[in-house]
Amino acid sequence: MALHIHEAWILLFVIPGLVTPAAINHEDYAADEGDQTSSNDNLIFDDYRGKGCVDDSGFVYKLGERFFPGHSNCPCVCTEDGPVCDQPECPKIHPKCTKVEHNGCCPECKEVKNFCEYHGKNYKILEEFKPSPCEWCRCEPSNEVHCVVADCAVPECVNPVYEPEQCCPVCKNGPNCFAGTTIIPAGIEVKVDDCNICHCHNGDWWKPAQCSKRECQGKQAL
């Protein structure tokens, strides 16, 4: 029994020596994926510097090819130093532009303010309006509101009336003036009492009436 154990140990030491490096055929084993691509001339590099250009969407362009890096960029030419892009002189945006789009090489105005704002309301260009009975306004092309305030003439009466939706007062009963505390019409002589006859000044309706005394008429006794 001991003899067999000794022979088994001898066999264990001898068998590994029989397998030499020359006996392993490397062609029988598949090469690693890295070894396969290392000899591939068509290798695609992640770094395209000096080999191409990449736009915002990841598309690759060859040297000398013209392309747009992104939807809001100017056109570029792919060079070994990277994209060389056009730098055009873009038109100036209108100062009254209220909506600007940046979907191209140059910003573009899509909406220009074409109204005026006055006291919280909007008015179209050249629109005329009356914010009050005495104001006349217009929305100018400059988007500014210009107003004119009515200059009312001096009324020809001492009791002018302001009518609704009218700017200037009107003399509903015609020209008149004061004779003391009594209002008398203009253009005629008015006997205001037993002794005085008055009339209004011509054109100077705000002045007191001119009065002259006449022979007073006393009351006759019954």
Side-chain angles (χ1 to χ4, degrees):
M1 183 68 178
L3 178 61
H4 292 297
I5 295 174
H6 179 70
E7 292 174 352
W9 277 103
I10 294 173
L11 290 174
L12 289 174
F13 282 101
V14 172
I15 291 175
L18 295 177
V19 182
T20 62
I24 300 176
N25 188 358
H26 292 282
E27 295 180 356
D28 295 336
Y29 296 89
D32 293 338
E33 184 177 354
D35 295 335
Q36 284 184 336
T37 59
S38 62
S39 60
N40 190 350
D41 295 334
N42 297 324
L43 175 64
I44 299 177
F45 296 92
D46 291 334
D47 186 358
Y48 295 99
R49 288 176 296 181
K51 303 176 179 64
C53 301
V54 184
D55 64 9
D56 293 348
S57 301
F59 290 99
V60 181
Y61 297 87
K62 298 178 182 179
L63 296 179
E65 194 170 359
R66 192 174 180 84
F67 70 103
F68 287 86
H71 70 282
S72 61
N73 297 103
C74 296
C76 304
V77 175
C78 182
T79 70
E80 292 184 355
D81 297 326
V84 176
C85 303
D86 294 345
Q87 298 294 331
E89 185 176 351
C90 296
K92 294 182 179 179
I93 298 295
H94 196 285
K96 298 172 186 174
C97 184
T98 57
K99 183 179 180 181
V100 181
E101 286 189 357
H102 299 274
N103 292 329
C105 181
C106 292
E108 184 177 358
C109 180
K110 290 297 183 180
E111 184 176 338
V112 178
K113 183 180 178 181
N114 57 353
F115 62 91
C116 299
E117 186 176 354
Y118 188 77
H119 291 175
K121 294 183 179 180
N122 294 337
Y123 300 92
K124 297 179 181 179
I125 300 295
L126 300 182
E127 181 179 358
E128 298 178 356
F129 58 97
K130 289 176 66 66
S132 70
C134 289
E135 286 183 290
W136 176 85
C137 302
R138 186 174 73 169
C139 175
E140 302 293 342
S142 61
N143 301 113
E144 297 179 353
V145 175
H146 289 174
C147 296
V148 176
V149 179
D151 186 12
C152 296
V154 178
E156 297 182 347
C157 60
V158 295
N159 55 349
V161 177
Y162 286 88
E163 296 286 354
E165 301 302 323
Q166 289 188 3
C167 174
C168 298
V170 295
C171 296
K172 298 189 70 173
N173 298 320
N176 56 38
C177 67
F178 276 115
T181 58
T182 303
I183 298 175
I184 62 174
I188 59 175
E189 291 185 343
V190 177
K191 188 177 181 181
V192 295
D193 55 32
D194 292 339
C195 300
N196 294 292
I197 296 177
C198 304
H199 69 276
C200 296
H201 289 274
N202 293 329
D204 298 333
W205 316 112
W206 61 91
K207 293 182 179 180
Q210 288 180 329
C211 298
S212 59
K213 288 187 177 184
R214 302 289 177 90
E215 184 178 352
C216 297
Q217 296 178 357
K219 294 182 179 179
Q220 296 181 355
L222 294 176

